[in-house]
Structure formats: C-alpha cells, structure tokens
Amino acid sequence: MKVDVLLGLQWGDEGKGKLVDALTRDYDVIARFQGGPNAGHTLEFNNQKHVLHTIPSGIFHPDKLNLIGNGLVIDPVVFKKEVDRLTGFGMDIRKNLFISKKSHLILPTHRLLDAASEASKGAGKIGSTLKGIGPAYTDKTGREGLRVGDILEKSFLAKYHCLRDLHLRKISQFNYPFDLQPLEDEWLASIEFLRSFQFVNGEYLINEWLKAGHRILAEGAQGSMLDIDFGSYPFVTSSNTTCAGACTGLGVAPGRIGNVIGIIKAYSTRVGSGPFPTELLDETGERLRTSGHEYGSTTGRPRRCGWLDMVALRYTVMLDGVTSLIMTKADVLSGFDTLRVATAYKINGKTTREIPFDTEAPVEPVYTDLPGWKEDISGICEKESLPENLKGYIRFVENHLGIPVTIVSVGPDRNATIQMA
Ligand code: GDP
Ligand code: IMO
Ligand code: MG
C-alpha cells in the first residue's frame, strides 16, 4: 500500500479540513505530518461547524484511525481545548488517536518568543499566528527541543525548566512584558492531560499499517507557498508544507507516496505578510472576502484576497508532484462578469513564468480574462448541472497544469462536494 497525500497548493486555507473529512470514507487512517496550532481546518456537517488545529480531520469518523506524526509541534494547551470541545459533542477520541513520541512540544515561552520577536519587527513582521511555531521548530532543528515522548521520562520537569530558562534569557533581550506563571500552570496541567493519550513510535506504526493493507491519507497543513524552503522566505511558516514533508513528518519512504491530491481555492487568499502578486486591494477583493467569509479560522484575521495565480500553482504542482486537483469555493465566484487568472509575471519589464527569488521584486501579473457565470451553484450536486463557464474555468486550470480536477467543492458542508471524474 501507499500513502496518499492531500495538501494545499496556495497560501493555506484552501479547504483541506472539509475535503479530508469528505474523503475519509475512502481511507482507514488520516495522518497529519507537519505544522501545529497555526493550522485551522474547518469541517461542517449536520449544520455544525468544527475547527481543528492539531487533530487530524478524520476524527469525526469513529471507525477510522488518526495519527499525529513526528513532524508536528503540539501545544498541549491548544490540544486540550480541542479535545474538550470534541468531548462536549460526546466523542471519546482516545481510542482512535495516536500521537508520535517524536513530535515536538510548544512551550509557553515559545509563544512568548514568537510574540516578542514579531513585536520587535514592527512593519516587517511575518504576521505569524503567534502560536509559537517558529521558535518551536527553531528548537527542534537547534537540537534543544522537548518531545512528546519526553513527558514519560523522570527528567521531564528538569528538561522543561532548563529550556524555559534558556527562553527567558532570550526573551529578556526583547524588553517584552509578560506574566509566565498562569501560562505555565495551564501548560503543566495540559501536559498531565496529554499523558492520557496513546503515544506511539509513529514511523513503525504507519509502516505496519501499510504492510497490513491500511489505506492512509496524509493531511497537509498550511500551503505549499508557505513552505520553509520554497515559499516566499522569510514570509513562510517553519515546516516543509510540500509533499516531501509527508515523508519526514511521518517516517514513510518517498517510494511509499501514492496519489498526491492538490487542493486549490478557485481564487487566492493569503493571511499574514509577504508577497501576493494577484492581491486585490479594491472592492473586488472586498467582495471575495465577504462572499467567501475570508477570515482566519485560527486568528480571525481578515484574509487578503486576489485572483487565481497559475505561476504559483505551476510551481507548487511541480514541487509536490500533484496527480489530481480539487477546486474549492467555486460557489464564491458566482456573479462575476469576468474572472481573471494570472498566467505569468512581468518583473522590471521582463515576462517570466517562474516565481522570482527576490520576494521584494515589483511583480505585475499578466492576466487572461475568462467569462464568469451568474448562477448560484451552492445547491448543485452533479457535474452536469454546473454552468458552462465554470466548466470552462476548470478546463483552463486543467489544461494549464496538465492535471485533472477530480472534485469541485461548492459549499462548506461535507456534502457540497461534486465528483468530476
Ligand atoms: P483549511 O485550513 O485548508 O482547512 O481551510 P479553512 O478551514 O481555514 O478555510 C476554508 C473555509 O472555507 C472554511 O470556513 C470552510 O468551511 C470554507 N469552505 C470550504 N470549502 C468551501 C466551498 O467549497 N465553498 C464555500 N463557500 N466555503 C468553503
Ligand atoms: P492552514 O493549515 C493560512 C501563515 C501565517 C503567517 C505565516 C507564518 O489552516 O491552511 P506561523 O504561525 O506558521 O509562524 O505563521 O504562515 N500561516 C497560515 N496561513 N493557513 C494556515 O494554516 C497557516 N498557518 C500559518 O499567517 O503568514
Ligand atoms: Mg485554515
């Protein structure tokens, strides 16, 4: 068996949570491989909305298994709140959730470091989610981090104090006010809570599952344009959000990767700072934000909105080895006379089809205009009923990327999902 990977091809919030939940019926295991509480994955069914941060989006199917891989950074406080919410819905997830002992812990002082560092950058800030992601991954690669498996060791508290004190020395350089005690109390209580979950050697478990013939879907977080290596550095997150991250974040060999399902929103959004060539700073952008309810699932921040960017998509399709596409939020584009799609960039008078190295370069998108459609498509269930111009818009994307769009999503609900092929 192979591991299929589902990931966002833009700047995050493409609708991964909804689609993973909708596709879970075809899999036995859903596994997260990177990121942490910076992610906000929204699922909707039975008129109920759920937002997951750390827990894989297969969790609402009680007969399926879920794995938090070694590539994640976990904040026990956020994790406890997520579990408490699910418990409130009568769910007991301890039986079907496994946590890799090698995943890393986010400490309260990681969150403080994130906030202090962002505050010190002023206008040049990354616009991080302030969840401590950057500092936690910095400690991981700096070989200072604490891992979930460390909780089981007698030396855990001593290790915690040691790392905390190192952080406090760093924070003191920022002149950033804080009160650690309540944060630490809450964190230590949440560590006790975390103990009641199943800690595993995730890399062995997932390979055993593969051997046993389990169908596994790896769920990406963020989007490929936020990848630490290939995104618009430094305005990126701190993990490999691209397909390769599924190998290192779970412990599966590259040859074990099967289908790579790339999710794209029918237009573009970005939250936080950084280049966004097709951004619309006018009423069209505002219209997309309003009709698409484009406000962060984790932070509530308004998302920046713009047209679809094929330069970015060609790049991420190449990096990820995408084998099929899912287009979400097609319903949000209803009512536009004309839809614009960027197919190249003009930089200093020169046309390029590649993402430039220099993220500060003044980029002017080269657009192709396509006709829009008027119909409200949110109630449509089969592909035959979709407006011709939407089919044309989808064909344009398919032809440009050379990959089929197999699913089109026309609403937030799990069932508003149209099979195209
Ligand atoms: P994720 O981070 O990729 O899981 O995406 P988010 O949950 O952060 O953001 C996607 C938002 O769009 C959520 O509010 C979803 O409920 C919503 N959504 C997903 N698919 C569709 C769709 O096809 N149409 C509409 N209108 N909303 C959608
Ligand atoms: P999901 O999984 C959208 C963005 C932040 C910021 C940058 C760095 O819901 O798609 P970080 O807190 O990771 O250090 O922030 O990355 N970012 C996201 N944007 N969706 C996300 O996750 C994101 N996770 C991080 O806004 O620009
Ligand atoms: Mg999100």
Side-chain angles (χ1 to χ4, degrees), residues 12-19 40-44 49 265 291-293 297 303 328-332 409-412 416:
D13 304 329
E14 296 89 350
K16 299 176 289 293
K18 174 200 152 154
L19 264 303
H41 294 183
T42 315
L43 297 77
E44 274 190 51
K49 181 170 152 173
K265 205 176 267 190
S291 359
H293 304 290
S297 313
R303 294 176 182 147
T328 60
K329 301 195 111 165
D331 54 304
V332 176
S409 170
V410 293

Coordinates of all heavy atoms in Angstrom, one line a residue, residues 12-19 40-44 49 265 291-293 297 303 328-332 409-412 416, ligand 1:
G12 N -2.4 28.4 2.1 CA -3.2 27.8 3.2 C -4.7 28.1 3.0 O -5.1 28.9 2.2
D13 N -5.5 27.5 3.9 CA -6.9 27.7 4.0 C -7.7 27.4 2.6 O -8.7 28.1 2.3 CB -7.2 29.2 4.4 CG -6.5 29.6 5.7 OD1 -6.4 28.7 6.5 OD2 -6.2 30.7 5.8
E14 N -7.2 26.4 1.9 CA -7.8 26.0 0.7 C -9.1 25.2 0.9 O -9.8 25.0 -0.1 CB -6.8 25.2 -0.2 CG -5.5 26.0 -0.6 CD -4.4 25.9 0.4 OE1 -4.6 25.4 1.5 OE2 -3.3 26.3 0.1
G15 N -9.3 24.7 2.1 CA -10.4 23.9 2.4 C -10.0 22.4 2.7 O -10.7 21.5 2.4
K16 N -8.8 22.3 3.2 CA -8.2 20.9 3.4 C -9.1 20.1 4.4 O -9.4 19.0 4.2 CB -6.8 21.0 3.9 CG -5.8 21.7 3.0 CD -4.4 21.9 3.5 CE -4.4 23.0 4.6 NZ -4.6 24.4 4.2
G17 N -9.5 20.8 5.5 CA -10.2 20.1 6.5 C -11.5 19.5 6.0 O -11.8 18.4 6.2
K18 N -12.3 20.4 5.2 CA -13.5 19.9 4.6 C -13.3 18.7 3.8 O -14.0 17.7 3.8 CB -14.2 21.0 3.8 CG -15.4 20.5 3.1 CD -15.9 21.2 1.9 CE -16.6 20.2 1.0 NZ -17.6 20.7 0.2
L19 N -12.3 18.8 2.9 CA -12.1 17.7 1.9 C -11.5 16.4 2.6 O -11.9 15.3 2.2 CB -11.2 18.2 0.8 CG -11.9 18.7 -0.4 CD1 -12.8 17.6 -1.0 CD2 -12.7 19.9 -0.1
G40 N -5.8 25.9 11.0 CA -7.2 25.9 11.4 C -8.0 25.2 10.3 O -8.1 25.8 9.2
H41 N -8.4 24.0 10.5 CA -9.1 23.2 9.5 C -10.6 23.1 9.8 O -10.9 22.5 10.8 CB -8.4 21.8 9.3 CG -7.0 21.9 8.8 ND1 -6.2 20.8 8.6 CD2 -6.2 23.0 8.5 CE1 -5.1 21.2 8.1 NE2 -5.0 22.5 8.0
T42 N -11.4 23.7 8.9 CA -12.8 23.7 9.2 C -13.6 22.6 8.5 O -13.4 22.3 7.4 CB -13.4 25.1 8.7 OG1 -12.5 26.1 9.1 CG2 -14.8 25.3 9.3
L43 N -14.5 22.0 9.3 CA -15.3 20.9 8.8 C -16.8 21.3 9.1 O -17.0 21.9 10.2 CB -15.1 19.6 9.5 CG -13.7 18.9 9.4 CD1 -12.7 19.6 10.3 CD2 -13.8 17.5 9.8
E44 N -17.7 21.0 8.2 CA -19.1 21.3 8.5 C -20.0 20.1 8.1 O -19.8 19.6 7.0 CB -19.6 22.5 7.7 CG -19.3 23.8 8.5 CD -19.9 25.0 7.8 OE1 -21.1 25.0 7.6 OE2 -19.2 26.0 7.6
K49 N -20.4 23.4 12.8 CA -19.0 23.7 12.3 C -18.0 23.4 13.3 O -18.2 23.6 14.5 CB -19.0 25.3 12.0 CG -17.7 25.8 11.5 CD -18.0 27.2 11.0 CE -16.7 28.0 11.1 NZ -16.8 29.4 10.6
K265 N -8.1 26.7 -3.9 CA -9.3 27.6 -3.8 C -9.4 28.2 -5.2 O -8.5 28.4 -5.9 CB -9.0 28.7 -2.8 CG -10.1 29.3 -2.2 CD -9.7 30.3 -1.1 CE -9.6 29.7 0.3 NZ -9.4 30.7 1.3
S291 N -18.1 37.5 0.4 CA -18.8 36.2 0.0 C -18.1 35.0 0.4 O -18.8 34.0 0.6 CB -19.1 36.2 -1.5 OG -18.6 37.3 -2.2
G292 N -16.8 35.0 0.4 CA -16.1 33.8 0.8 C -15.9 33.6 2.3 O -15.2 32.7 2.8
H293 N -16.4 34.6 3.1 CA -16.1 34.6 4.6 C -14.7 34.4 4.9 O -14.3 33.5 5.6 CB -17.0 33.6 5.3 CG -18.4 33.7 5.0 ND1 -19.2 34.7 5.5 CD2 -19.2 32.9 4.3 CE1 -20.4 34.5 5.0 NE2 -20.5 33.5 4.3
S297 N -9.4 31.0 10.3 CA -10.0 30.0 11.2 C -9.3 30.0 12.5 O -9.9 29.5 13.5 CB -10.0 28.6 10.6 OG -10.4 28.7 9.2
R303 N -8.5 37.7 5.7 CA -7.6 37.2 4.7 C -7.5 38.2 3.5 O -8.5 38.7 3.1 CB -8.0 35.8 4.2 CG -8.0 34.8 5.3 CD -8.5 33.5 4.8 NE -8.6 32.4 5.9 CZ -9.5 31.5 5.9 NH1 -10.5 31.4 5.0 NH2 -9.5 30.6 6.9
T328 N -11.9 24.2 -4.6 CA -12.9 24.6 -3.6 C -13.4 26.0 -3.8 O -12.8 26.8 -4.6 CB -12.3 24.5 -2.2 OG1 -11.2 25.4 -2.1 CG2 -11.8 23.1 -1.8
K329 N -14.5 26.3 -3.2 CA -15.1 27.6 -3.1 C -15.5 28.2 -4.5 O -15.4 29.4 -4.7 CB -14.2 28.6 -2.4 CG -13.9 28.1 -0.9 CD -13.3 29.2 0.0 CE -14.3 29.6 1.0 NZ -13.7 30.4 2.1
A330 N -15.8 27.3 -5.5 CA -16.2 27.7 -6.8 C -17.5 28.6 -6.6 O -17.7 29.5 -7.4 CB -16.5 26.5 -7.7
D331 N -18.3 28.2 -5.6 CA -19.6 29.0 -5.4 C -19.3 30.5 -5.2 O -20.2 31.3 -5.5 CB -20.3 28.4 -4.3 CG -19.5 28.2 -3.0 OD1 -18.4 27.6 -3.1 OD2 -19.9 28.8 -1.9
V332 N -18.2 30.8 -4.6 CA -17.9 32.2 -4.2 C -17.7 33.0 -5.5 O -17.9 34.3 -5.4 CB -16.6 32.2 -3.3 CG1 -16.2 33.7 -2.9 CG2 -16.9 31.5 -2.0
S409 N -15.7 21.7 -5.1 CA -16.5 22.0 -3.8 C -17.3 23.3 -4.0 O -16.8 24.3 -4.5 CB -15.5 22.1 -2.7 OG -16.1 22.5 -1.5
V410 N -18.6 23.2 -3.6 CA -19.4 24.4 -3.9 C -20.1 24.9 -2.6 O -21.1 25.6 -2.6 CB -20.5 24.0 -4.9 CG1 -19.9 23.8 -6.3 CG2 -21.4 22.8 -4.5
G411 N -19.6 24.5 -1.4 CA -20.1 25.0 -0.2 C -19.3 24.4 1.0 O -18.6 23.4 0.8
P412 N -19.4 24.9 2.2 CA -18.6 24.4 3.3 C -19.0 23.0 3.8 O -18.2 22.4 4.5 CB -18.8 25.5 4.4 CG -19.9 26.3 4.0 CD -20.2 26.1 2.5
A416 N -21.4 19.2 0.1 CA -21.4 20.1 -1.1 C -20.1 19.8 -1.9 O -19.2 20.7 -2.0 CB -21.4 21.6 -0.6
Ligands
GDP1 P1 -8.1 24.7 5.6 O1 -7.2 25.4 6.5 O2 -7.5 24.4 4.3 O3 -8.8 23.5 6.2 O4 -9.2 25.8 5.3 P2 -10.0 26.7 6.4 O5 -10.9 25.9 7.1 O6 -9.1 27.5 7.1 O7 -10.7 27.7 5.4 C1 -11.7 27.3 4.4 C2 -13.0 28.0 4.7 O8 -13.8 27.8 3.6 C3 -13.7 27.3 5.9 O9 -14.5 28.3 6.5 C4 -14.6 26.3 5.2 O10 -15.8 26.0 5.9 C5 -15.0 27.0 3.9 N1 -15.2 26.2 2.7 C6 -14.5 25.0 2.3 N2 -14.9 24.7 1.1 C7 -15.8 25.6 0.7 C8 -16.6 25.7 -0.5 O11 -16.5 25.0 -1.5 N3 -17.4 26.8 -0.6 C9 -17.5 27.7 0.5 N4 -18.3 28.7 0.3 N5 -16.8 27.6 1.6 C10 -16.0 26.5 1.7

